Amino acid sequence: MAIDHDRLFKELIQTFFEEFLLLFFPDMHEHIDFSHLSFLSEELFTDVTAGEKYRVDLLIETKLKGENGLIIVHVENQSYVQPSFPERMFIYFSRLFEKYRTRIVPIAVFSYEALREEPSVFSIEFPFGDVLQFRFFPVELRKKHWRDYIRHDNPIAAALLGKMGYTESEKVELKKECLRMLVRLELDEARQRLLLGFFETYVKLSEEEEQQLQREVKAMETKEREKVLELIISYEQKGRKAGWEEGMKRGIEQGIKQGMKQGMKQGMKQLIRNMARKGMTEKDIAQLVDLPVEDVRALLEE
């Protein structure tokens, strides 16, 4: 199933918009009045010449501190290389200005894998003079090194580590630092799951790497280790629970109670095996999944 990059980024930035500006545009952050903030409906534009439709990712209506006039922050995610992107940003900007007639801050987040020189200017020039110099604010994630952001304790930084610059050999450490950041932030469960889910969409560890991660987590200071393990298990359990609920729904619709029961058992067995593979004892697993140790052992032996 294809990843809907635009939807993922939209949900992330909309949830943590203030943190997004603080992380990448601290000077801009100082001027925004976040007590006045509303998310506008999506704008759909049609390029009649090219025969294509474009949808603006995120429009935020807000104010500058000490001013009555509105500004609109236009955030556009670019997940693939497109040479005409600066021109497209200008078209978005001009059509938004035509509709709202207010100041607009254009921001583009580049999330593709390529490393390249990305222009952030669209210009119209003649030998006898310049007609237009349109600029937008770029965020080129691959050009940002993940180690520069692990001490920020900014929730959106934790999620975006997986889209920043890193090597394959750093993946285990990358995920470990993401987990440590989430533990330090002490967010509610829903926001933790949003951030970790975003991160794991783009950073997938092999079984061997997961085992290495487990060993490194176990080497942490006791209090931090317990919190990180709790976060990992909670995330896995919630994901498994969602799978069970979907299986139950389908089983009820089909009237197959036996199949539903078997599916739940298989889901529990897989969860227990994942925990054991990560080095957890039968006793610890039993406490977390609320089963007798004997039942846990039996499922592991099947």
Side-chain angles (χ1 to χ4, degrees):
M1 183 177 178
I3 298 172
D4 188 345
H5 300 281
D6 291 340
R7 182 188 63 79
L8 288 173
F9 273 85
K10 178 179 177 180
E11 184 178 7
L12 180 69
I13 296 174
Q14 184 168 324
T15 304
F16 298 102
F17 176 66
E18 182 175 354
E19 292 85 351
F20 169 77
L21 289 189
L22 179 61
L23 185 67
F24 295 118
F25 303 106
D27 291 339
M28 188 189 304
H29 178 274
E30 288 184 8
H31 291 278
I32 300 294
D33 179 3
F34 291 98
S35 65
H36 181 98
L37 203 68
S38 61
F39 295 91
L40 304 178
S41 60
E42 292 182 341
E43 297 285 351
L44 184 66
F45 298 128
T46 301
D47 186 334
V48 178
T49 305
E52 296 178 332
K53 291 183 177 181
Y54 300 116
R55 188 180 302 277
V56 172
D57 284 348
L58 204 58
L59 284 177
I60 304 99
E61 182 182 85
T62 185
K63 290 184 178 181
L64 295 180
K65 293 178 180 177
E67 296 189 20
N68 292 324
L70 298 177
I71 66 166
I72 293 177
V73 181
H74 162 210
V75 181
E76 178 77 10
N77 176 55
Q78 180 70 355
S79 58
Y80 58 94
V81 176
Q82 184 178 0
S84 61
F85 184 74
E87 179 181 344
R88 182 151 67 94
M89 280 292 286
F90 169 69
I91 292 171
Y92 284 174
F93 180 90
S94 60
R95 292 185 180 178
L96 288 171
F97 183 78
E98 181 182 21
K99 178 176 180 177
Y100 292 99
R101 297 289 175 166
T102 189
R103 291 176 293 178
I104 299 170
V105 180
I107 298 173
V109 179
F110 295 97
S111 62
Y112 45 69
E113 301 298 320
L115 274 176
R116 54 173 291 193
E117 290 303 315
E118 186 62 49
S120 58
V121 178
F122 174 70
S123 61
I124 297 177
E125 303 166 343
F126 293 95
F128 47 81
D130 296 343
V131 173
L132 174 71
Q133 285 284 331
F134 167 75
R135 300 177 182 274
F136 57 88
F137 297 91
V139 179
E140 297 181 76
L141 291 172
R142 272 295 175 216
K143 289 186 178 180
K144 299 184 181 299
H145 196 274
W146 67 277
R147 292 186 188 277
D148 295 334
Y149 290 86
I150 58 177
R151 300 300 173 198
H152 278 260
D153 283 346
N154 183 311
I156 208 164
L160 290 177
L161 288 180
K163 294 299 294 179
M164 294 181 182
Y166 65 89
T167 63
E168 284 293 306
S169 63
E170 295 176 316
K171 282 168 63 179
V172 173
E173 187 178 3
L174 183 75
K175 184 170 181 179
K176 181 179 70 174
E177 292 301 332
C178 172
L179 292 168
R180 295 180 71 186
M181 289 175 72
L182 292 178
V183 165
R184 291 198 302 271
L185 289 166
E186 297 183 342
L187 302 170
D188 59 79
E189 184 179 302
R191 294 188 175 211
Q192 278 188 340
R193 294 195 66 220
L194 169 62
L195 296 172
L196 188 52
F198 184 99
F199 177 90
E200 291 198 336
T201 298
Y202 297 104
V203 182
K204 299 186 183 300
L205 302 188
S206 65
E207 186 173 321
E208 181 180 345
E209 288 169 332
E210 287 286 1
Q211 292 175 353
Q212 181 185 341
L213 174 64
Q214 191 70 22
R215 290 193 295 270
E216 294 191 14
V217 170
K218 285 184 175 181
M220 291 179 181
E221 182 267 335
T222 304
K223 187 175 181 181
E224 184 181 36
R225 178 179 69 238
E226 291 175 354
K227 290 184 176 180
V228 170
L229 283 173
E230 183 180 338
L231 175 59
I232 293 173
I233 299 305
S234 173
Y235 182 75
E236 288 192 359
Q237 281 183 317
K238 292 295 181 183
R240 190 66 59 188
K241 181 182 178 183
W244 289 343
E245 289 175 349
E246 180 63 23
M248 289 173 71
K249 180 181 177 182
R250 291 180 182 178
I252 291 171
E253 290 172 350
Q254 297 170 7
I256 309 176
K257 294 183 179 180
Q258 185 59 36
M260 182 175 63
K261 181 178 179 182
Q262 183 65 25
M264 292 176 66
K265 181 180 178 182
Q266 288 297 324
M268 177 63 77
K269 185 192 297 185
Q270 187 61 47
L271 176 61
I272 288 173
R273 286 179 174 175
N274 286 343
M275 293 179 182
R277 191 180 299 117
K278 291 179 179 179
M280 296 187 65
T281 66
E282 293 175 354
K283 182 178 179 181
D284 289 340
I285 295 172
Q287 290 177 341
L288 284 168
V289 299
D290 196 23
L291 284 177
V293 175
E294 294 76 15
D295 290 356
V296 170
R297 186 176 298 118
L299 287 171
L300 287 171
E301 292 173 354
E302 284 186 6

